[in-house]
């Protein structure tokens, strides 16, 4: 028998205990190691959630408000179309940035939201009077998750001008105090505008001020996600059978692909394992359960003999996984389902009979 180019183990078994009357038929067990494959935690994450730098990162945009001067300033309505001192007004605008679908909650470790405020008024709402010493206004942006305040940022008219036709892009950084903290549902932002009396200006109640959450960047150490029939795909494994002696390959009688799996996720399901070689496709169901388990995929002699050749055999695994009973599962960065594969071949000392 020629040497083979991969690591194999062979164990001999006597097929019968009777005194042989013909050439004995022994059976050897050959083991061919396959590459390890993984299903990373990213496969279970909903859209807009990524794993990077040892954390989960959520980057979403959305949540916008636009209000006319007539909506914000009740005292301006009677002055519409007139040139008059700008009346004082104070109001709070509110909008929300929803969590991605299938994301229930995050253990927040950092975060910020960029808020874009566009001034389409004919005046500066926080510096409406030009004279030194005139009253100045402010725009205070508060980021919340429910009743919890995550961060506060103020645009002070004493330090910042907000001219007509311009926009301010402000970053609200979440306060590190109280972190890590579990948040879920939506991230809301409130914009409180305090605008004092100002210089005479043409009052147009159709003019507006708009506020938009331009970008939210959130880091987390864990996430609770909803996993229901989530299709996952493992990296393909390969088996190199090219070093087998053809006579040895012809005497393969049966065998199994054995997968030793370690699954840190509280998910399970029946995946599909597909072995492919040139002109050959063999398919088997593959049960996956939480924790440590072993799956054994059985194949007949003719099926296995059809795989031998110069090209490597590819083992692809894909299919749906679900969490039970409510579909929610907690995941952490760096987690991955791993499967170590091997092919066990049982080879006889005699050539196989037809159909074996």
């Amino acid at each position: 028998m020629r040497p083979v180019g991969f690591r194999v183990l062979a164990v001999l078994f006597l097929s019968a205990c009777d005194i042989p009357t013909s050439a004995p038929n022994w059976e050897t067990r050959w083991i061919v190691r396959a590459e390890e494959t993984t299903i990373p935690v990213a496969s279970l994450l909903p859209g807009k959630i990524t794993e990077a730098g040892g954390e989960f990162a959520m980057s979403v945009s959305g949540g916008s408000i636009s209000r006319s001067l007539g909506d914000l300033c009740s005292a301006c309505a009677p002055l519409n179309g007139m040139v008059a001192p700008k009346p004082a007004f104070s109001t709070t605008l509110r909008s929300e940035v929803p969590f991605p679908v299938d994301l229930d909650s995050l253990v927040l470790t950092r975060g910020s939201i960029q808020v874009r405020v566009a001034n389409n008024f004919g005046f500066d709402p926080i510096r409406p009077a030009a004279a030194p010493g005139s009253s100045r206004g402010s725009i205070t942006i508060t980021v919340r998750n429910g009743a919890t305040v995550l961060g506060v940022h103020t645009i002070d008219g004493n330090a910042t001008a907000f001219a007509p036709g311009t926009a301010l892009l402000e970053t609200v950084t979440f306060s590190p105090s109280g972190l890590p903290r579990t948040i879920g549902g939506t991230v809301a932002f409130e914009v409180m505008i305090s605008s004092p009396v100002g210089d005479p200006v043409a009052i147009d109640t159709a003019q507006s001020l708009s506020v938009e959450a331009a970008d939210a960047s959130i880091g987390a150490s864990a996430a609770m996600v909803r996993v229901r029939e989530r299709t996952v795909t493992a990296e393909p494994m390969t088996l190199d059978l090219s070093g087998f002696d053809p006579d040895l390959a012809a005497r393969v009688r049966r065998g199994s692909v054995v997968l030793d799996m370690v699954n840190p996720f509280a998910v399970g399901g029946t995946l599909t394992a597909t072995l492919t070689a040139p002109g050959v496709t063999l398919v088997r169901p593959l049960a996956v359960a939480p924790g440590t388990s072993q799956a054994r995929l059985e194949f007949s002699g003719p099926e296995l003999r059809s795989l031998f050749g110069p090209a490597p055999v590819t083992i692809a695994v894909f299919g749906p996984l679900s969490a039970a009973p409510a579909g929610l599962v907690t995941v952490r960065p760096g987690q991955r389902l791993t499967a170590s594969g091997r092919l066990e071949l049982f080879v006889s000392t005699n050539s196989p009979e037809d159909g074996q």
Side-chain angles (χ1 to χ4, degrees):
M1 181 168 50
R2 297 201 302 257
V4 294
F6 43 79
R7 225 172 119 196
V8 296
L9 302 176
V11 181
L12 293 175
F13 295 95
L14 186 61
S15 63
C17 295
D18 297 334
I19 298 174
T21 57
S22 60
N25 183 12
W26 298 79
E27 189 176 76
T28 61
R29 180 166 66 105
W30 294 74
I31 299 177
V32 184
R33 302 293 180 185
E35 298 173 348
E36 183 180 88
T37 188
T38 64
I39 298 175
V41 67
S43 300
L44 303 181
L45 297 176
K48 299 183 179 180
I49 303 291
T50 59
E51 182 188 11
E55 69 171 8
F56 293 140
M58 180 171 74
S59 181
V60 297
S61 59
S64 61
I65 314 165
S66 181
R67 295 289 185 270
S68 69
L69 180 60
D71 294 331
L72 301 175
C73 175
S74 59
C76 295
L79 304 175
N80 186 41
M82 301 171 58
V83 175
K86 186 204 75 72
F89 64 88
S90 180
T91 189
T92 299
L93 309 180
R94 191 176 191 275
S95 187
E96 295 182 340
V97 179
F99 273 27
V101 175
D102 291 335
L103 176 62
D104 181 79
S105 62
L106 288 172
V107 179
L108 180 70
T109 55
R110 64 166 183 85
S112 64
I113 289 185
Q114 281 190 329
V115 178
R116 183 179 184 273
V117 187
N119 178 16
N120 300 310
F121 296 146
F123 55 87
D124 183 333
I126 56 178
R127 282 189 184 180
S134 300
S135 296
R136 301 306 187 203
S138 63
I139 300 175
T140 299
I141 305 166
T142 302
V143 180
R144 300 179 180 273
N145 178 242
T148 301
V149 174
L150 300 176
V152 179
H153 176 78
T154 298
I155 307 169
D156 188 348
N158 290 297
T160 304
F162 194 11
T166 64
L168 298 175
L169 186 62
E170 303 292 322
T171 299
V172 185
T173 301
F174 296 175
S175 172
S177 63
L179 297 181
R181 156 192 322 274
T182 300
I183 65 171
T186 60
V187 175
F189 64 95
E190 297 175 349
V191 182
M192 186 175 71
I193 304 168
S194 177
S195 181
V197 173
D199 293 337
V201 66
I203 303 295
D204 184 350
T205 56
Q207 293 176 337
S208 64
L209 183 139
S210 64
V211 183
E212 178 187 8
D215 183 66
S217 179
I218 294 174
S221 59
M224 181 173 284
V225 297
R226 184 168 287 101
V227 180
R228 289 177 177 167
E229 298 296 310
R230 179 75 55 81
T231 298
V232 299
T233 302
E235 288 293 323
M237 293 182 284
T238 58
L239 287 165
D240 184 3
L241 303 179
S242 61
F244 262 92
D245 184 280
D247 179 64
L248 179 69
R251 289 186 279 112
V252 172
R253 301 182 61 181
R254 57 190 174 90
S256 308
V257 170
V258 182
L259 296 172
D260 294 309
M261 294 178 286
V262 179
N263 178 10
F265 310 116
V267 300
T270 301
L271 307 185
T272 299
T274 305
L275 278 68
T276 55
V280 181
T281 300
L282 304 176
V283 179
R284 293 292 188 274
L286 171 61
V288 174
T292 301
S293 62
Q294 184 182 86
R296 184 176 291 271
L297 313 179
E298 304 286 351
F299 296 93
S300 68
E303 287 178 317
L304 292 170
R305 292 194 294 272
S306 69
L307 299 174
F308 286 90
V313 178
T314 300
I315 305 175
V317 175
F318 74 96
L321 292 176
S322 296
L328 291 175
V329 58
T330 299
V331 296
R332 292 177 173 80
Q335 288 182 315
R336 58 199 65 242
L337 186 158
T338 62
S340 300
R342 63 183 184 273
L343 175 63
E344 292 187 357
L345 298 172
F346 290 87
V347 181
S348 70
T349 57
N350 296 332
S351 298
E353 299 174 0
D354 292 340
Q356 283 190 310

